[in-house]
mmCIF file of all heavy atoms in Angstrom:
data_model
loop_
_atom_site.group_PDB
_atom_site.id
_atom_site.type_symbol
_atom_site.label_atom_id
_atom_site.label_comp_id
_atom_site.label_asym_id
_atom_site.label_seq_id
_atom_site.Cartn_x
_atom_site.Cartn_y
_atom_site.Cartn_z
ATOM 1 N N TYR A 240 237.489 193.190 -21.646
ATOM 2 C CA TYR A 240 237.053 191.796 -21.841
ATOM 3 C C TYR A 240 235.648 191.574 -21.511
ATOM 4 O O TYR A 240 234.936 190.666 -22.103
ATOM 5 C CB TYR A 240 237.922 190.800 -21.212
ATOM 6 C CG TYR A 240 239.397 190.732 -21.731
ATOM 7 C CD1 TYR A 240 240.286 189.891 -21.132
ATOM 8 C CD2 TYR A 240 239.727 191.352 -22.996
ATOM 9 C CE1 TYR A 240 241.594 189.766 -21.628
ATOM 10 C CE2 TYR A 240 240.959 191.241 -23.432
ATOM 11 C CZ TYR A 240 241.862 190.476 -22.810
ATOM 12 O OH TYR A 240 243.174 190.292 -23.177
ATOM 13 N N THR A 241 235.171 192.197 -20.346
ATOM 14 C CA THR A 241 233.820 191.910 -19.985
ATOM 15 C C THR A 241 232.710 192.583 -20.611
ATOM 16 O O THR A 241 231.462 192.320 -20.440
ATOM 17 C CB THR A 241 233.694 192.277 -18.386
ATOM 18 O OG1 THR A 241 234.007 193.619 -18.200
ATOM 19 C CG2 THR A 241 234.583 191.424 -17.624
ATOM 20 N N GLU A 242 233.046 193.582 -21.561
ATOM 21 C CA GLU A 242 232.088 194.336 -22.214
ATOM 22 C C GLU A 242 231.413 193.697 -23.359
ATOM 23 O O GLU A 242 232.059 192.928 -23.993
ATOM 24 C CB GLU A 242 232.745 195.661 -22.688
ATOM 25 C CG GLU A 242 233.184 196.665 -21.589
ATOM 26 C CD GLU A 242 232.118 197.048 -20.660
ATOM 27 O OE1 GLU A 242 231.358 197.953 -20.935
ATOM 28 O OE2 GLU A 242 231.931 196.372 -19.529
ATOM 29 N N THR A 243 230.106 193.914 -23.563
ATOM 30 C CA THR A 243 229.496 193.288 -24.678
ATOM 31 C C THR A 243 229.272 194.155 -25.929
ATOM 32 O O THR A 243 228.789 193.763 -27.023
ATOM 33 C CB THR A 243 228.084 192.805 -24.271
ATOM 34 O OG1 THR A 243 227.384 193.919 -23.738
ATOM 35 C CG2 THR A 243 228.239 191.713 -23.140
ATOM 36 N N SER A 244 229.560 195.578 -25.633
ATOM 37 C CA SER A 244 229.436 196.490 -26.798
ATOM 38 C C SER A 244 230.760 197.215 -27.072
ATOM 39 O O SER A 244 231.548 197.229 -26.172
ATOM 40 C CB SER A 244 228.333 197.490 -26.487
ATOM 41 O OG SER A 244 227.134 196.902 -26.307
ATOM 42 N N PRO A 245 231.000 197.583 -28.256
ATOM 43 C CA PRO A 245 232.333 198.265 -28.559
ATOM 44 C C PRO A 245 232.500 199.543 -27.670
ATOM 45 O O PRO A 245 231.543 200.086 -27.324
ATOM 46 C CB PRO A 245 232.169 198.664 -30.082
ATOM 47 C CG PRO A 245 231.190 197.698 -30.621
ATOM 48 C CD PRO A 245 230.218 197.457 -29.481
ATOM 49 N N GLY A 246 233.626 199.744 -27.350
ATOM 50 C CA GLY A 246 234.007 200.960 -26.446
ATOM 51 C C GLY A 246 235.467 201.241 -26.580
ATOM 52 O O GLY A 246 236.243 200.583 -27.271
ATOM 53 N N LEU A 247 235.933 202.304 -25.786
ATOM 54 C CA LEU A 247 237.291 202.784 -25.892
ATOM 55 C C LEU A 247 238.286 201.640 -25.393
ATOM 56 O O LEU A 247 239.237 201.476 -26.123
ATOM 57 C CB LEU A 247 237.470 203.910 -24.876
ATOM 58 C CG LEU A 247 238.879 204.580 -24.840
ATOM 59 C CD1 LEU A 247 239.385 205.017 -26.286
ATOM 60 C CD2 LEU A 247 238.939 205.668 -23.894
ATOM 61 N N PHE A 248 237.933 200.808 -24.505
ATOM 62 C CA PHE A 248 238.800 199.781 -24.047
ATOM 63 C C PHE A 248 238.571 198.346 -24.627
ATOM 64 O O PHE A 248 239.084 197.374 -24.147
ATOM 65 C CB PHE A 248 238.790 199.731 -22.402
ATOM 66 C CG PHE A 248 239.643 200.849 -21.842
ATOM 67 C CD1 PHE A 248 239.127 202.099 -21.754
ATOM 68 C CD2 PHE A 248 240.921 200.659 -21.466
ATOM 69 C CE1 PHE A 248 239.847 203.160 -21.247
ATOM 70 C CE2 PHE A 248 241.590 201.712 -20.939
ATOM 71 C CZ PHE A 248 241.100 203.046 -20.716
ATOM 72 N N VAL A 249 237.570 198.305 -25.513
ATOM 73 C CA VAL A 249 237.259 197.075 -26.160
ATOM 74 C C VAL A 249 238.149 196.926 -27.355
ATOM 75 O O VAL A 249 237.843 197.360 -28.405
ATOM 76 C CB VAL A 249 235.740 196.942 -26.526
ATOM 77 C CG1 VAL A 249 235.548 195.574 -27.096
ATOM 78 C CG2 VAL A 249 234.894 197.169 -25.293
ATOM 79 N N PHE A 250 239.421 196.439 -27.092
ATOM 80 C CA PHE A 250 240.403 196.448 -28.128
ATOM 81 C C PHE A 250 240.200 195.381 -29.262
ATOM 82 O O PHE A 250 239.619 194.272 -28.923
ATOM 83 C CB PHE A 250 241.835 196.290 -27.689
ATOM 84 C CG PHE A 250 242.120 197.303 -26.620
ATOM 85 C CD1 PHE A 250 242.729 197.000 -25.360
ATOM 86 C CD2 PHE A 250 241.868 198.673 -26.848
ATOM 87 C CE1 PHE A 250 243.034 198.017 -24.430
ATOM 88 C CE2 PHE A 250 242.173 199.598 -25.887
ATOM 89 C CZ PHE A 250 242.884 199.246 -24.727
ATOM 90 N N PRO A 251 240.706 195.567 -30.403
ATOM 91 C CA PRO A 251 240.695 194.451 -31.400
ATOM 92 C C PRO A 251 241.520 193.297 -30.730
ATOM 93 O O PRO A 251 242.514 193.575 -29.998
ATOM 94 C CB PRO A 251 241.422 195.038 -32.696
ATOM 95 C CG PRO A 251 241.213 196.548 -32.459
ATOM 96 C CD PRO A 251 241.306 196.774 -30.999
ATOM 97 N N PRO A 252 241.265 192.035 -31.133
ATOM 98 C CA PRO A 252 241.926 190.902 -30.608
ATOM 99 C C PRO A 252 243.552 191.049 -30.898
ATOM 100 O O PRO A 252 244.314 190.494 -30.121
ATOM 101 C CB PRO A 252 241.404 189.685 -31.270
ATOM 102 C CG PRO A 252 239.951 190.180 -31.785
ATOM 103 C CD PRO A 252 240.088 191.615 -31.968
ATOM 104 N N GLN A 253 243.875 191.608 -31.920
ATOM 105 C CA GLN A 253 245.319 191.730 -32.292
ATOM 106 C C GLN A 253 246.148 192.400 -31.173
ATOM 107 O O GLN A 253 247.295 192.185 -31.128
ATOM 108 C CB GLN A 253 245.445 192.483 -33.571
ATOM 109 C CG GLN A 253 244.973 191.768 -34.859
ATOM 110 C CD GLN A 253 243.545 191.874 -34.964
ATOM 111 O OE1 GLN A 253 242.798 192.590 -34.275
ATOM 112 N NE2 GLN A 253 242.822 191.027 -35.869
ATOM 113 N N VAL A 254 245.483 193.249 -30.401
ATOM 114 C CA VAL A 254 246.240 194.020 -29.371
ATOM 115 C C VAL A 254 246.776 193.017 -28.311
ATOM 116 O O VAL A 254 247.903 192.913 -27.934
ATOM 117 C CB VAL A 254 245.308 195.062 -28.749
ATOM 118 C CG1 VAL A 254 246.101 195.650 -27.520
ATOM 119 C CG2 VAL A 254 244.919 196.163 -29.698
ATOM 120 N N THR A 255 245.904 192.086 -27.867
ATOM 121 C CA THR A 255 246.311 191.073 -26.972
ATOM 122 C C THR A 255 247.249 190.008 -27.672
ATOM 123 O O THR A 255 248.260 189.616 -27.058
ATOM 124 C CB THR A 255 245.039 190.311 -26.422
ATOM 125 O OG1 THR A 255 244.231 191.235 -25.762
ATOM 126 C CG2 THR A 255 245.442 189.267 -25.347
ATOM 127 N N GLU A 256 246.907 189.697 -28.841
ATOM 128 C CA GLU A 256 247.845 188.744 -29.558
ATOM 129 C C GLU A 256 249.301 189.341 -29.619
ATOM 130 O O GLU A 256 250.222 188.652 -29.239
ATOM 131 C CB GLU A 256 247.287 188.560 -31.024
ATOM 132 C CG GLU A 256 245.952 187.854 -31.108
ATOM 133 C CD GLU A 256 245.590 187.855 -32.583
ATOM 134 O OE1 GLU A 256 246.401 187.973 -33.563
ATOM 135 O OE2 GLU A 256 244.367 187.651 -32.733
ATOM 136 N N GLU A 257 249.468 190.526 -29.971
ATOM 137 C CA GLU A 257 250.695 191.134 -30.141
ATOM 138 C C GLU A 257 251.490 191.256 -28.859
ATOM 139 O O GLU A 257 252.643 190.991 -28.637
ATOM 140 C CB GLU A 257 250.747 192.472 -30.814
ATOM 141 C CG GLU A 257 250.230 192.449 -32.281
ATOM 142 C CD GLU A 257 249.893 193.743 -32.837
ATOM 143 O OE1 GLU A 257 250.129 194.786 -32.076
ATOM 144 O OE2 GLU A 257 249.562 193.876 -34.060
ATOM 145 N N PHE A 258 250.684 191.592 -27.776
ATOM 146 C CA PHE A 258 251.159 191.691 -26.380
ATOM 147 C C PHE A 258 251.660 190.397 -25.882
ATOM 148 O O PHE A 258 252.784 190.239 -25.371
ATOM 149 C CB PHE A 258 250.128 192.248 -25.420
ATOM 150 C CG PHE A 258 250.534 192.303 -24.024
ATOM 151 C CD1 PHE A 258 251.622 193.045 -23.652
ATOM 152 C CD2 PHE A 258 249.758 191.711 -23.025
ATOM 153 C CE1 PHE A 258 251.901 193.220 -22.234
ATOM 154 C CE2 PHE A 258 250.117 191.763 -21.595
ATOM 155 C CZ PHE A 258 251.222 192.594 -21.347
ATOM 156 N N VAL A 259 251.024 189.319 -26.125
ATOM 157 C CA VAL A 259 251.405 187.999 -25.716
ATOM 158 C C VAL A 259 252.564 187.531 -26.553
ATOM 159 O O VAL A 259 253.552 187.024 -26.073
ATOM 160 C CB VAL A 259 250.201 186.942 -25.856
ATOM 161 C CG1 VAL A 259 250.655 185.479 -25.701
ATOM 162 C CG2 VAL A 259 249.051 187.277 -24.835
ATOM 163 N N ASN A 260 252.641 187.830 -27.863
ATOM 164 C CA ASN A 260 253.658 187.377 -28.696
ATOM 165 C C ASN A 260 254.915 188.010 -28.330
ATOM 166 O O ASN A 260 256.009 187.494 -28.655
ATOM 167 C CB ASN A 260 253.418 187.519 -30.179
ATOM 168 C CG ASN A 260 252.627 186.277 -30.844
ATOM 169 O OD1 ASN A 260 252.912 185.266 -30.287
ATOM 170 N ND2 ASN A 260 251.990 186.486 -31.969
ATOM 171 N N ARG A 261 254.942 189.211 -27.814
ATOM 172 C CA ARG A 261 256.241 189.872 -27.427
ATOM 173 C C ARG A 261 256.876 189.271 -26.222
ATOM 174 O O ARG A 261 257.997 189.694 -25.858
ATOM 175 C CB ARG A 261 255.944 191.375 -27.114
ATOM 176 C CG ARG A 261 255.574 192.180 -28.357
ATOM 177 C CD ARG A 261 255.736 193.630 -28.177
ATOM 178 N NE ARG A 261 254.881 194.221 -27.049
ATOM 179 C CZ ARG A 261 253.708 194.735 -27.301
ATOM 180 N NH1 ARG A 261 253.231 194.776 -28.532
ATOM 181 N NH2 ARG A 261 252.885 195.264 -26.304
ATOM 182 N N SER A 262 256.235 188.355 -25.475
ATOM 183 C CA SER A 262 256.717 187.792 -24.343
ATOM 184 C C SER A 262 257.581 186.608 -24.484
ATOM 185 O O SER A 262 257.534 185.900 -25.574
ATOM 186 C CB SER A 262 255.523 187.285 -23.350
ATOM 187 O OG SER A 262 254.847 186.299 -23.863
ATOM 188 N N ASN A 263 258.534 186.395 -23.659
ATOM 189 C CA ASN A 263 259.369 185.223 -23.678
ATOM 190 C C ASN A 263 259.713 184.680 -22.257
ATOM 191 O O ASN A 263 259.113 185.275 -21.301
ATOM 192 C CB ASN A 263 260.653 185.424 -24.524
ATOM 193 C CG ASN A 263 261.410 186.661 -24.026
ATOM 194 O OD1 ASN A 263 261.631 186.855 -22.847
ATOM 195 N ND2 ASN A 263 261.728 187.599 -24.989
ATOM 196 N N LEU A 264 260.563 183.782 -22.013
ATOM 197 C CA LEU A 264 260.886 183.239 -20.734
ATOM 198 C C LEU A 264 261.509 184.243 -19.790
ATOM 199 O O LEU A 264 261.594 184.100 -18.596
ATOM 200 C CB LEU A 264 261.671 182.080 -20.785
ATOM 201 C CG LEU A 264 261.016 180.754 -21.426
ATOM 202 C CD1 LEU A 264 262.001 179.592 -21.325
ATOM 203 C CD2 LEU A 264 259.714 180.366 -20.655
ATOM 204 N N THR A 265 262.097 185.293 -20.341
ATOM 205 C CA THR A 265 262.783 186.473 -19.582
ATOM 206 C C THR A 265 261.818 187.544 -19.285
ATOM 207 O O THR A 265 262.172 188.432 -18.468
ATOM 208 C CB THR A 265 263.972 186.971 -20.287
ATOM 209 O OG1 THR A 265 263.526 187.644 -21.486
ATOM 210 C CG2 THR A 265 264.980 185.892 -20.664
ATOM 211 N N THR A 266 260.628 187.532 -19.802
ATOM 212 C CA THR A 266 259.661 188.659 -19.610
ATOM 213 C C THR A 266 259.089 188.460 -18.058
ATOM 214 O O THR A 266 258.736 187.349 -17.663
ATOM 215 C CB THR A 266 258.376 188.487 -20.528
ATOM 216 O OG1 THR A 266 258.892 188.540 -21.813
ATOM 217 C CG2 THR A 266 257.467 189.609 -20.311
ATOM 218 N N ALA A 267 259.052 189.561 -17.424
ATOM 219 C CA ALA A 267 258.578 189.615 -16.105
ATOM 220 C C ALA A 267 257.097 189.187 -16.159
ATOM 221 O O ALA A 267 256.264 189.479 -16.942
ATOM 222 C CB ALA A 267 258.711 190.943 -15.425
ATOM 223 N N CYS A 268 256.692 188.408 -15.055
ATOM 224 C CA CYS A 268 255.281 188.078 -14.923
ATOM 225 C C CYS A 268 254.681 187.404 -16.093
ATOM 226 O O CYS A 268 253.524 187.613 -16.520
ATOM 227 C CB CYS A 268 254.421 189.269 -14.462
ATOM 228 S SG CYS A 268 254.959 190.006 -12.914
ATOM 229 N N LEU A 269 255.387 186.480 -16.710
ATOM 230 C CA LEU A 269 254.950 185.787 -17.858
ATOM 231 C C LEU A 269 253.663 184.977 -17.586
ATOM 232 O O LEU A 269 252.784 184.945 -18.384
ATOM 233 C CB LEU A 269 256.119 184.756 -18.327
ATOM 234 C CG LEU A 269 255.687 183.928 -19.555
ATOM 235 C CD1 LEU A 269 255.222 184.729 -20.758
ATOM 236 C CD2 LEU A 269 256.902 182.971 -19.896
ATOM 237 N N SER A 270 253.558 184.561 -16.394
ATOM 238 C CA SER A 270 252.305 183.754 -16.087
ATOM 239 C C SER A 270 251.070 184.556 -16.130
ATOM 240 O O SER A 270 250.024 184.226 -16.493
ATOM 241 C CB SER A 270 252.495 183.212 -14.622
ATOM 242 O OG SER A 270 253.390 182.113 -14.702
ATOM 243 N N THR A 271 251.223 185.909 -15.754
ATOM 244 C CA THR A 271 250.172 186.873 -15.726
ATOM 245 C C THR A 271 249.739 187.126 -17.147
ATOM 246 O O THR A 271 248.640 187.265 -17.557
ATOM 247 C CB THR A 271 250.502 188.216 -15.002
ATOM 248 O OG1 THR A 271 250.955 187.923 -13.735
ATOM 249 C CG2 THR A 271 249.340 189.083 -14.971
ATOM 250 N N ILE A 272 250.787 187.219 -18.135
ATOM 251 C CA ILE A 272 250.439 187.335 -19.500
ATOM 252 C C ILE A 272 249.622 186.183 -20.067
ATOM 253 O O ILE A 272 248.662 186.462 -20.856
ATOM 254 C CB ILE A 272 251.705 187.575 -20.296
ATOM 255 C CG1 ILE A 272 252.479 188.917 -19.821
ATOM 256 C CG2 ILE A 272 251.504 187.613 -21.833
ATOM 257 C CD1 ILE A 272 253.779 189.164 -20.463
ATOM 258 N N LEU A 273 250.139 185.088 -19.740
ATOM 259 C CA LEU A 273 249.376 183.873 -20.206
ATOM 260 C C LEU A 273 247.934 183.749 -19.672
ATOM 261 O O LEU A 273 247.023 183.349 -20.310
ATOM 262 C CB LEU A 273 250.212 182.536 -19.873
ATOM 263 C CG LEU A 273 251.542 182.489 -20.478
ATOM 264 C CD1 LEU A 273 252.329 181.285 -20.004
ATOM 265 C CD2 LEU A 273 251.398 182.398 -22.035
ATOM 266 N N GLU A 274 247.804 184.153 -18.376
ATOM 267 C CA GLU A 274 246.447 184.219 -17.739
ATOM 268 C C GLU A 274 245.567 185.323 -18.544
ATOM 269 O O GLU A 274 244.428 184.992 -18.639
ATOM 270 C CB GLU A 274 246.587 184.601 -16.294
ATOM 271 C CG GLU A 274 247.186 183.501 -15.446
ATOM 272 C CD GLU A 274 247.584 183.979 -14.064
ATOM 273 O OE1 GLU A 274 247.304 185.100 -13.710
ATOM 274 O OE2 GLU A 274 248.326 183.229 -13.398
ATOM 275 N N THR A 275 246.224 186.339 -18.977
ATOM 276 C CA THR A 275 245.429 187.333 -19.774
ATOM 277 C C THR A 275 245.012 186.760 -21.083
ATOM 278 O O THR A 275 243.807 187.045 -21.413
ATOM 279 C CB THR A 275 246.371 188.507 -20.016
ATOM 280 O OG1 THR A 275 246.655 189.162 -18.758
ATOM 281 C CG2 THR A 275 245.628 189.626 -20.872
ATOM 282 N N ALA A 276 245.803 186.017 -21.690
ATOM 283 C CA ALA A 276 245.480 185.279 -22.970
ATOM 284 C C ALA A 276 244.310 184.355 -22.687
ATOM 285 O O ALA A 276 243.275 184.278 -23.418
ATOM 286 C CB ALA A 276 246.530 184.564 -23.574
ATOM 287 N N GLY A 277 244.345 183.619 -21.565
ATOM 288 C CA GLY A 277 243.207 182.736 -21.143
ATOM 289 C C GLY A 277 241.906 183.469 -20.831
ATOM 290 O O GLY A 277 240.935 182.960 -21.110
ATOM 291 N N ALA A 278 242.125 184.548 -20.208
ATOM 292 C CA ALA A 278 240.902 185.392 -19.922
ATOM 293 C C ALA A 278 240.103 185.916 -21.198
ATOM 294 O O ALA A 278 238.902 185.929 -21.245
ATOM 295 C CB ALA A 278 241.225 186.592 -19.159
ATOM 296 N N MET A 279 240.950 186.164 -22.175
ATOM 297 C CA MET A 279 240.374 186.593 -23.485
ATOM 298 C C MET A 279 239.680 185.458 -24.131
ATOM 299 O O MET A 279 238.567 185.564 -24.552
ATOM 300 C CB MET A 279 241.381 187.211 -24.367
ATOM 301 C CG MET A 279 240.994 187.542 -25.680
ATOM 302 S SD MET A 279 242.265 188.359 -26.734
ATOM 303 C CE MET A 279 241.704 188.038 -28.378
ATOM 304 N N ILE A 280 240.313 184.267 -24.189
ATOM 305 C CA ILE A 280 239.538 183.065 -24.723
ATOM 306 C C ILE A 280 238.388 182.778 -23.889
ATOM 307 O O ILE A 280 237.330 182.399 -24.505
ATOM 308 C CB ILE A 280 240.625 181.922 -24.743
ATOM 309 C CG1 ILE A 280 241.861 182.065 -25.586
ATOM 310 C CG2 ILE A 280 239.951 180.627 -25.046
ATOM 311 C CD1 ILE A 280 241.463 182.278 -27.006
ATOM 312 N N SER A 281 238.410 182.783 -22.569
ATOM 313 C CA SER A 281 237.235 182.528 -21.765
ATOM 314 C C SER A 281 235.995 183.322 -22.103
ATOM 315 O O SER A 281 234.881 182.863 -21.872
ATOM 316 C CB SER A 281 237.683 182.634 -20.339
ATOM 317 O OG SER A 281 238.621 181.630 -19.914
ATOM 318 N N ARG A 282 236.315 184.452 -22.546
ATOM 319 C CA ARG A 282 235.098 185.449 -22.874
ATOM 320 C C ARG A 282 234.441 185.134 -24.174
ATOM 321 O O ARG A 282 233.444 185.639 -24.568
ATOM 322 C CB ARG A 282 235.618 186.874 -22.919
ATOM 323 C CG ARG A 282 236.082 187.424 -21.457
ATOM 324 C CD ARG A 282 234.985 187.396 -20.417
ATOM 325 N NE ARG A 282 233.795 188.138 -20.820
ATOM 326 C CZ ARG A 282 232.699 188.276 -20.223
ATOM 327 N NH1 ARG A 282 232.554 187.611 -18.936
ATOM 328 N NH2 ARG A 282 231.616 188.932 -20.556
ATOM 329 N N HIS A 283 235.100 184.182 -24.859
ATOM 330 C CA HIS A 283 234.549 183.913 -26.265
ATOM 331 C C HIS A 283 234.430 182.366 -26.431
ATOM 332 O O HIS A 283 234.834 181.853 -27.503
ATOM 333 C CB HIS A 283 235.511 184.419 -27.403
ATOM 334 C CG HIS A 283 235.572 185.883 -27.286
ATOM 335 N ND1 HIS A 283 236.403 186.615 -26.503
ATOM 336 C CD2 HIS A 283 234.924 186.907 -28.004
ATOM 337 C CE1 HIS A 283 236.407 187.952 -26.666
ATOM 338 N NE2 HIS A 283 235.409 188.112 -27.594
ATOM 339 N N THR A 284 233.911 181.716 -25.450
ATOM 340 C CA THR A 284 233.817 180.146 -25.459
ATOM 341 C C THR A 284 232.398 179.742 -25.825
ATOM 342 O O THR A 284 232.249 178.614 -26.211
ATOM 343 C CB THR A 284 234.204 179.543 -24.080
ATOM 344 O OG1 THR A 284 233.499 180.151 -23.150
ATOM 345 C CG2 THR A 284 235.688 179.748 -23.876
ATOM 346 N N THR A 285 231.354 180.534 -25.718
ATOM 347 C CA THR A 285 230.034 180.207 -26.085
ATOM 348 C C THR A 285 229.694 180.492 -27.572
ATOM 349 O O THR A 285 230.340 181.318 -28.090
ATOM 350 C CB THR A 285 228.970 180.918 -25.145
ATOM 351 O OG1 THR A 285 229.083 182.354 -25.530
ATOM 352 C CG2 THR A 285 229.420 180.752 -23.660
ATOM 353 N N ASP A 286 228.699 179.748 -28.017
ATOM 354 C CA ASP A 286 228.364 179.901 -29.430
ATOM 355 C C ASP A 286 227.846 181.293 -29.693
ATOM 356 O O ASP A 286 227.886 181.864 -30.797
ATOM 357 C CB ASP A 286 227.258 178.898 -29.745
ATOM 358 C CG ASP A 286 227.874 177.496 -29.885
ATOM 359 O OD1 ASP A 286 228.963 177.401 -30.012
ATOM 360 O OD2 ASP A 286 227.001 176.514 -29.777
ATOM 361 N N ALA A 287 227.287 182.007 -28.640
ATOM 362 C CA ALA A 287 226.711 183.314 -28.802
ATOM 363 C C ALA A 287 227.772 184.344 -28.827
ATOM 364 O O ALA A 287 227.564 185.480 -29.419
ATOM 365 C CB ALA A 287 225.798 183.642 -27.711
#
Side-chain angles (χ1 to χ4, degrees):
Y240 287 175
T241 59
E242 295 300 276
T243 57
S244 299
L247 180 60
F248 283 81
V249 183
F250 302 138
Q253 291 78 12
V254 176
T255 304
E256 291 173 22
E257 292 169 3
F258 178 55
V259 172
N260 264 342
R261 289 198 298 268
S262 67
N263 53 51
L264 292 183
T265 65
T266 303
C268 297
L269 176 57
S270 292
T271 306
I272 294 175
L273 296 175
E274 288 165 10
T275 298
M279 176 174 158
I280 293 294
S281 295
R282 294 299 301 179
H283 297 85
T284 53
T285 63
D286 291 339

